Amino acid sequence: ETGVTQSPTHLIKTRGQQVTLRCSSQSGHNTVSWYQQALGQGPQFIFQYYREEENGRGNFPPRFSGLQFPNYSSELNVNALELDDSALYLCASGLAVEQFFGPGTRLTVL
Amino acid sequence: QKEVEQNSGPLSVPEGAIASLNCTYSDRGSQSFFWYRQYSGKSPELIMSIYSNGDKEDGRFTAQLNKASQYVSLLIRDSQPSDSATYLCAVNRGSSNTGKLIFGQGTTLQVKP
């Protein structure tokens, strides 16, 4: 167990809808990052938050956005869902370079 | 060229054998390298970190790094059926250790009893 929690575990949405995924970082960690993992692929970096500011972004469109709160919890918001957004969404937290993943949220877009 | 490349496998080894997993990366400035294990339906679990050229051993696992060749490997000695999983190689993006990771697609390991 890494101490990183995510909710919900599973989620089903329809194309065009909006979704919010939540993450609670491990105590003592100061960065939280979000990754998207499509079936059969490695995780892809979406963005990272440090001290409540976005601290780097991968190759994802602006409809992917996030927030980090003072207690180091975080949200990933995805607007205008597309079928290709179906994936496992992973939250990772860390104090330095090592990153520890939560259990993930499985999003299905119909 | 992908930033981090792994053979997707599956790599099949008999129980008790040595499993050798390989990874190459393209960014010469990268300084931090990781191996994650991912069981089917679960999230990635960090099993090894390596930052300097050479070998790093932890129990049955040995990570090897060769920055000149841009090559990272993971050896699993005395492989067990419980080692059957997908192994993900990850490289820190850029030369500063920010924790922003680039992953390969993973190698599936099957250990047969």
Side-chain angles (χ1 to χ4, degrees):
Chain A
E1 294 293 327
T2 63
V4 182
T5 60
Q6 292 186 245
S7 63
T9 304
H10 296 90
L11 202 51
I12 299 174
K13 291 286 189 178
T14 55
R15 193 171 48 182
Q17 286 189 310
Q18 178 267 341
V19 68
T20 297
L21 310 182
R22 293 179 173 83
C23 170
S24 180
S25 306
Q26 183 170 327
S27 177
H29 287 177
N30 59 8
T31 65
V32 61
S33 303
W34 287 90
Y35 291 80
Q36 180 196 66
Q37 187 176 25
L39 204 59
Q41 302 298 316
Q44 281 197 286
F45 175 75
I46 303 175
F47 43 58
Q48 183 185 80
Y49 277 82
Y50 173 68
R51 294 183 176 177
E52 303 169 46
E53 297 285 332
E54 189 178 290
N55 183 40
R57 187 178 186 93
N59 190 25
F60 281 82
R63 62 188 184 85
F64 286 78
S65 63
L67 286 171
Q68 185 186 28
F69 301 101
N71 63 356
Y72 296 112
S73 64
S74 176
E75 289 182 354
L76 165 65
N77 299 290
V78 187
N79 293 323
L81 284 167
E82 300 177 0
L83 297 179
D84 284 350
D85 295 334
S86 294
L88 179 67
Y89 287 86
L90 296 160
C91 171
S93 74
L95 183 59
V97 65
E98 291 186 346
Q99 298 291 298
F100 299 91
F101 285 91
T105 294
R106 174 73 62 186
L107 173 64
T108 301
V109 182
L110 302 176
Chain B
Q1 180 189 9
K2 291 182 180 178
E3 293 181 272
V4 179
E5 295 206 53
Q6 296 181 255
N7 188 323
S8 61
L11 172 66
S12 183
V13 300
E15 184 175 355
I18 297 175
S20 178
L21 304 159
N22 304 314
C23 170
T24 58
Y25 60 95
S26 62
D27 184 355
R28 285 195 168 274
S30 296
Q31 299 295 322
S32 306
F33 308 87
F34 309 92
W35 285 98
Y36 286 82
R37 177 176 63 198
Q38 187 172 27
Y39 292 114
S40 181
K42 301 295 186 181
S43 64
E45 174 193 6
L46 179 64
I47 55 172
M48 289 290 283
S49 308
I50 187 165
Y51 308 103
S52 304
N53 280 328
D55 295 0
K56 179 182 178 182
E57 187 174 319
D58 183 1
R60 296 186 296 112
F61 298 100
T62 299
Q64 300 174 316
L65 173 61
N66 183 327
K67 290 183 180 179
S69 301
Q70 296 172 251
Y71 179 90
V72 193
S73 66
L74 180 70
L75 300 178
I76 306 175
R77 289 182 300 280
D78 188 24
S79 295
Q80 301 297 309
S82 59
D83 294 326
S84 298
T86 296
Y87 289 80
L88 296 161
C89 173
V91 176
N92 190 82
R93 181 184 297 261
S95 58
S96 56
N97 290 328
T98 58
K100 300 166 196 171
L101 304 179
I102 306 168
F103 283 84
Q105 71 176 76
T107 298
T108 299
L109 173 66
Q110 297 173 346
V111 180
K112 299 193 172 179

